Each structure stands twice: as structure tokens, then as C-alpha cells.
Amino acid sequence: VFGSSIILPLGGNNPIGVLGQSSGALELGEQIEAGELPDCDGIYVAVGSSCTISGLIIGVALARNAGIKAFGRPGFALHLVPVHHATSMLNRVANLYKSSFSRYLPLTVRHSIHAACSELHKLGGPDVLEEALAILDHSTIVHDEAILTGKYGTHSAPSRACAKLFDETGSIKLASGKEAPGLWLCGHFAAKPMAAMCDDLLREEHAGKNMVFWQTKSRIQPRGPKDEWAQMQNMPPLVQAWAQQGKPESTKRPGKVNLKDGAAADYRSLMTDIPETSPTD
């Protein structure tokens, strides 16, 4: 925080953000231990800034440190699916996500784990750095295939096919048996790990396994009190051209920003109004 301004790191990746993500893994572990759902064989997650995956790794380490009976199946693994073609390529040629040199590169998993574990220990929490790094080195699988990653900011061929199939045939059931709202498998992030998970589950060696898809994009697309449509009209031409390129991929979530011939009503039905709050609220 600088005066009245707040600077957020890319993807929320700082120790606070990473430790916040670790609470999600701890909550999942507690649900497994309580018998609310079976233990899992793997967790699939999209990776951009490395904040979420780093937090999940630390969360699993914390759960084990606390004696929570979860994440204990033989072969349990966290499945890391890069969403950027550059980092995917760097992993194929230089093992970006697991190599020792990445310890010194911000926005990588190893660097994030070191930073977050250090802050956690300073705050009086357990020192789980060694366990977290062991999970990264031995229980993390990177799905860096170029065809799966595609290009940053849009669907790859496998993710588009997976999202289309889910829109047509997929459903989510609650423990009560009631149907829950469907997932938003955006081409930018979520559809890529979903495609990797579905592909793995079709393989004989994964038959019958219980996999967890970690949804990194909320169904809630917030809209604040300011007129975003009017602001977009005043954006630089490059930003406007970028917005124009977006395509309405989902049959269940149709909507497009069309600055030339469209209107705000073309997409606002997908957004949820969020009331304005003050920093002290």
C-alpha cells in the first residue's frame, strides 16, 4: 500500500497471496479427513503467475505437517498446466518449474515456495519448506505439451474441444444429489487443466482414480459502480483492438465486447454487480 494506492503483483503472487491459496488445500484436506469426500489421487490446476500451484503445494505440506489424513494415496500428484506458451516452452527446454535455478526467478514455483515458507516461519508457523520442495520435486507433474498450452489468452485445440463437450454434456452434482451450476471453462485458464485431466482419466493407468479439478476462474464476474463500457471507449487503440479479438466460445455463456457495432448489453448479463465499499469496510 502506497498512500491511497494499492499495488498488486502479477497474479497476486506474493507471500500473502500464496499463503492465501494454501488455505484452499488445507480446507480440502479437512473435508477429506471429515469424510465429506474421498481422498484424491491428483489435483489439476492452471498455472500463470505460479501463485495458486505454489499455495497448493504448501497447503499439502501443511496438511501433512498437521497430521490431517488426506493427500495420502500412493502416487498422489499435483498436476501443473501452464497457460502461457512461453513458460510452457521454457519448461520443455530448461525444466523451468523444477530446476534449481528457478529459485532465483520471481513468478516461478520454487521461488514462490521459498518466499512464502520463509514468511510463514517468521510469523510463527511451521517450517514446511523441505516438505514443500519435496512435493514439487517428486509429486508434481508438469503438462507442458505445446498443443495443450496453445497461445496465451485463448483456447488451445484440446481445451476448446473439452470446453465444448462439457457445455454440451457435462454436469456438476452436489453431495446431496442436486445439480449445481456448471463450470465456466474459460479458454485463458480453466479449460486447459480440465482437458489435461480428462485426457489422463481416459488412460488405462488412471482408470477409477479420483481426480480434483481446481477451478481458478470464478463464475462470478464482478462489475463495480464505474461504467466499464465508457472507459473502454477511451482506451488506447491497441487495447481496443485486443478486446475486439475476443470470441464468444461458450454456448452457455454467450457474450462479446464489440466496440464498433455492439453495446454493453452484449456481455453484462454475464456479470454480477458488486456494491462499492470503502477501504475500512
Side-chain angles (χ1 to χ4, degrees):
V1 179
F2 295 87
S4 60
S5 300
I6 299 175
I7 297 178
L8 296 176
L10 290 172
N13 188 337
N14 60 13
I16 294 174
V18 171
L19 293 175
Q21 294 291 345
S22 72
S23 65
L26 283 168
E27 182 178 352
L28 176 60
E30 290 172 345
Q31 291 171 334
I32 291 170
E33 185 177 53
E36 296 177 23
L37 68 162
D39 204 352
C40 56
D41 295 285
I43 301 173
Y44 289 74
V45 62
V47 176
S49 71
S50 299
C51 181
T52 304
I53 183 62
S54 302
L56 291 179
I57 289 172
I58 293 172
V60 171
L62 285 168
R64 290 174 174 173
N65 180 271
I68 295 174
K69 294 179 175 59
F71 315 120
R73 286 192 174 182
F76 168 82
L78 289 147
H79 294 258
L80 184 164
V81 184
V83 299
H84 200 296
H85 52 279
T87 54
S88 181
M89 180 271 293
L90 284 171
N91 194 72
R92 293 194 298 274
V93 300
N95 195 26
L96 174 67
Y97 291 105
K98 293 192 177 187
S99 63
S100 57
F101 76 83
S102 66
R103 159 74 177 86
Y104 306 101
L105 296 177
L107 304 182
T108 62
V109 184
R110 193 173 295 273
H111 180 276
S112 303
I113 288 174
H114 272 275
C117 285
S118 174
E119 289 301 314
L120 177 63
H121 194 45
K122 288 178 184 177
L123 292 169
D127 184 359
V128 294
L129 176 61
E130 185 176 342
E131 172 69 15
L133 292 177
I135 293 169
L136 171 63
D137 291 334
H138 306 297
S139 299
T140 303
I141 297 171
V142 183
H143 297 258
D144 59 8
E145 301 88 349
I147 189 172
L148 174 62
T149 306
K151 296 293 184 181
Y152 181 68
T154 187
H155 271 298
S156 62
S159 74
R160 178 178 286 109
C162 181
K164 183 175 184 294
L165 183 62
F166 187 86
D167 272 356
E168 294 172 351
T169 65
S171 64
I172 305 294
K173 292 282 182 72
L174 299 173
S176 63
K178 293 182 179 180
E179 190 164 328
L183 298 175
W184 173 34
L185 296 179
C186 75
H188 190 177
F189 272 77
K192 293 176 182 180
M194 174 64 93
M197 184 181 75
C198 291
D199 185 62
D200 278 355
L201 285 171
L202 291 172
R203 301 176 189 274
E204 185 176 351
E205 62 268 29
H206 294 302
K209 289 189 175 180
N210 181 35
M211 301 299 193
V212 172
F213 167 67
W214 201 268
Q215 171 77 322
T216 53
K217 291 294 179 183
S218 173
R219 286 181 53 84
I220 303 300
Q221 297 302 295
R223 179 174 178 265
K226 293 185 178 179
D227 188 342
E228 81 294 336
W229 177 256
Q231 290 181 318
M232 182 61 78
Q233 300 287 342
N234 295 319
M235 285 288 179
L238 282 176
V239 175
Q240 292 187 354
W242 169 79
Q244 286 285 127
Q245 293 174 12
K247 298 179 180 179
E249 298 273 4
S250 173
T251 56
K252 291 187 175 181
R253 297 176 61 86
K256 174 175 170 52
V257 175
N258 183 350
L259 295 170
K260 293 181 179 179
D261 308 310
D266 295 341
Y267 64 83
R268 277 190 181 165
S269 62
L270 303 177
M271 305 183 78
T272 300
D273 289 334
I274 304 296
E276 186 173 17
T277 58
S278 68
T280 57
D281 289 347

